[in-house]
């Protein structure tokens, strides 16, 4: 499982020109979490737990705070393209990405795990063509590989 975590002051995701998920944090920062699920991630609950812990606890907000420590919101968006391999040729290979029926419950489990920690979570719509907008702060972006 891979994630790109970006510090944002606001972010949203729209499907068919309708906003389906949004966070707005004018006085602080939240996170836009783009998560790519790999084949087999759904069979290993510890990967989900690790991703939840990383999103919640990484000290990547201003003043080395975490989402959990400052009650910051998260916009969670599934992004299978993070599993693309580009080492050979000119076309990415998506063979490492989990199929939708495997990936969707993993994304749902991450959202539920974050909510169980008291974190406000907005989400994209799994499998839809989404338009993601963000106002990055810093900019500050990290890659997480679990």
């Amino acid at each position: 499982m891979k994630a790109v975590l970006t510090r944002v002051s606001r972010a949203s995701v729209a499907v068919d020109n309708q906003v389906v998920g949004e966070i707005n944090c004018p006085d602080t920062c939240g996170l836009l979490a783009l998560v790519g699920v790999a084949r087999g991630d759904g069979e290993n609950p510890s990967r989900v737990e690790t991703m939840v812990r990383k999103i919640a606890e990484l000290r990547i907000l201003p003043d080395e705070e975490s989402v959990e420590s400052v009650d910051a919101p998260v916009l969670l968006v599934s992004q299978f393209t993070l599993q693309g391999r580009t080492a050979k040729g000119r076309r990415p290979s998506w063979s490492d990405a989990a199929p939708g029926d495997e990936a969707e419950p993993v994304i749902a489990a991450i959202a539920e795990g974050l909510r169980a920690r008291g974190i406000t979570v907005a989400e994209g719509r799994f499998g839809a063509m989404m338009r993601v907008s963000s106002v990055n702060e810093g900019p500050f972006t990290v890659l997480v590989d679990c």
Side-chain angles (χ1 to χ4, degrees):
M1 189 173 332
K2 296 178 183 178
V4 173
L5 305 180
T6 303
R7 208 162 62 180
V8 297
S9 56
R10 68 177 182 255
S12 64
V13 60
V15 175
D16 295 328
N17 294 320
Q18 298 280 47
V19 173
V20 296
E22 180 176 35
I23 62 172
N24 191 8
C25 9
D27 298 326
T28 185
C29 292
L31 286 184
L32 169 59
L34 305 174
V35 178
V37 180
R39 290 181 182 275
D41 283 344
E43 300 165 8
N44 190 340
S46 68
R47 288 188 182 152
V48 172
E49 293 168 11
T50 299
M51 186 58 72
V52 168
R53 183 172 43 80
K54 292 291 186 179
I55 293 170
E57 296 179 11
L58 275 176
R59 294 168 41 167
I60 58 176
L61 297 182
D63 300 322
E64 293 189 12
E65 297 288 355
S66 68
V67 164
E68 197 168 52
S69 68
V70 295
D71 196 28
V74 173
L75 175 57
L76 178 65
V77 178
S78 174
Q79 188 160 356
F80 80 93
T81 60
L82 291 176
Q83 293 298 336
R85 279 189 284 140
T86 59
K88 295 181 181 179
R90 295 179 294 162
R91 290 186 187 152
S93 168
W94 312 117
S95 61
D96 292 343
D101 61 338
E102 181 183 342
E104 188 171 13
V106 173
I107 296 296
I110 292 169
E112 181 57 35
L114 291 168
R115 289 184 180 113
R117 288 173 163 248
I119 296 167
T120 299
V121 179
E123 296 181 70
R125 184 173 299 150
F126 190 89
M129 177 59 79
M130 295 178 275
R131 178 172 286 148
V132 179
S133 300
S134 65
V135 177
N136 298 357
E137 290 296 322
F140 194 105
T141 300
V142 297
L143 301 174
V144 177
D145 198 351
C146 302

